Amino acid sequence: MKNRTRAKWVIGLLLAWLISPVYGEDLFTALVKESGMQWRFPAGFVEVTPVDNPYLTYEKGIKSADGKLEIRYALRPINRVIIDYDDPHGATPDPNHIFSRLFQSLTGNLSIGGNTPTREYMPEDAQKVFGADWAAMSIFDVDPEYSKNYPAAMLLAMHKNRTADAFIIFLFKDYEEARTHIKNHLTHLIFQMDKTK
């Protein structure tokens, strides 16, 4: 078993949204709105109940009818983030400045180690495709404690300044079989586009 030591500020960031209760609508719908995002339920998918796990709490899970792909969505509005950071030699990080470190930490925590190919989008591409200020993706063999039914995953992370972080996890058994699904569903959750840009 690989070392699971993680910085306190990472755990604080991932769980901070729990401090703000949501009333009158389901949590995922409320977080989409609060994160300044838009989401379309993709055709040919069914909803699945989120599974408790120690690595990344998520609010929505869906699965393709053919069972080749499961998608999990985790949203973290910046205004809900409280960072539990215990370092007497440094200041608490700004929630708007830790998205890259958080992405690397999540990739390490969700994977079983080994090769984790990563691609970071150019800022103009992140804005054009996702309405984000930053976006990156990584593919890896996933830790079975996070996914018992799918051995591989792609993590797509997005950040919009002063707004939110969003994480989409695509789970699959065979990338070649799932790649068309993944390509078709990369943009079902995006930040609302700024028409002035």
Side-chain angles (χ1 to χ4, degrees):
M1 178 68 69
K2 65 180 179 178
N3 184 357
R4 288 294 181 186
T5 302
R6 286 176 277 180
K8 283 187 177 181
W9 64 265
V10 172
I11 296 172
L13 176 62
L14 294 180
L15 301 181
W17 65 271
L18 292 171
I19 67 171
S20 298
V22 176
Y23 302 102
E25 56 189 326
D26 72 77
L27 178 60
F28 180 70
T29 300
L31 288 174
V32 168
K33 185 186 300 183
E34 190 175 332
S35 299
M37 305 189 82
Q38 55 193 47
W39 182 68
R40 292 179 291 124
F41 196 111
F45 278 71
V46 295
E47 201 157 344
V48 293
T49 304
V51 177
D52 287 337
N53 68 87
Y55 305 130
L56 179 61
T57 303
Y58 60 102
E59 294 79 50
K60 175 74 76 176
I62 60 174
K63 182 168 65 173
S64 62
D66 61 14
K68 292 180 179 177
L69 181 69
E70 182 176 324
I71 307 175
R72 298 177 179 180
Y73 301 91
L75 304 182
R76 302 295 179 262
I78 295 296
N79 65 0
R80 292 184 185 229
V81 172
I82 294 176
I83 300 176
D84 182 8
Y85 187 73
D86 186 16
D87 181 356
H89 305 293
T92 301
D94 184 322
N96 284 290
H97 299 156
I98 62 173
F99 48 85
S100 180
R101 286 191 293 172
L102 181 55
F103 170 69
Q104 293 169 3
S105 176
L106 283 175
T107 298
N109 289 334
L110 294 174
S111 75
I112 60 173
N115 189 30
T116 56
T118 298
R119 172 193 174 194
E120 190 167 318
Y121 285 78
M122 296 294 292
E124 56 271 23
D125 292 331
Q127 175 61 45
K128 181 178 179 181
V129 177
F130 305 112
D133 293 304
W134 174 91
M137 64 174 60
S138 182
I139 296 179
F140 46 83
D141 292 328
V142 72
D143 190 307
E145 289 189 59
Y146 184 73
S147 171
K148 290 180 171 51
N149 298 322
Y150 297 91
M154 186 182 88
L155 170 64
L156 171 61
M158 296 176 274
H159 171 81
K160 188 166 185 177
N161 294 334
R162 299 173 300 282
T163 306
D165 291 299
F167 306 98
I168 307 173
I169 302 91
F170 299 87
L171 298 164
F172 47 89
K173 294 178 181 177
D174 181 275
Y175 179 70
E176 290 305 317
E177 289 185 347
R179 67 186 301 173
T180 300
H181 270 317
I182 293 172
K183 182 178 180 181
N184 290 341
H185 303 299
L186 274 180
T187 58
H188 277 82
L189 177 71
I190 61 172
F191 288 101
Q192 294 175 5
M193 299 292 186
D194 185 348
K195 305 299 184 184
T196 64
K197 292 186 178 181

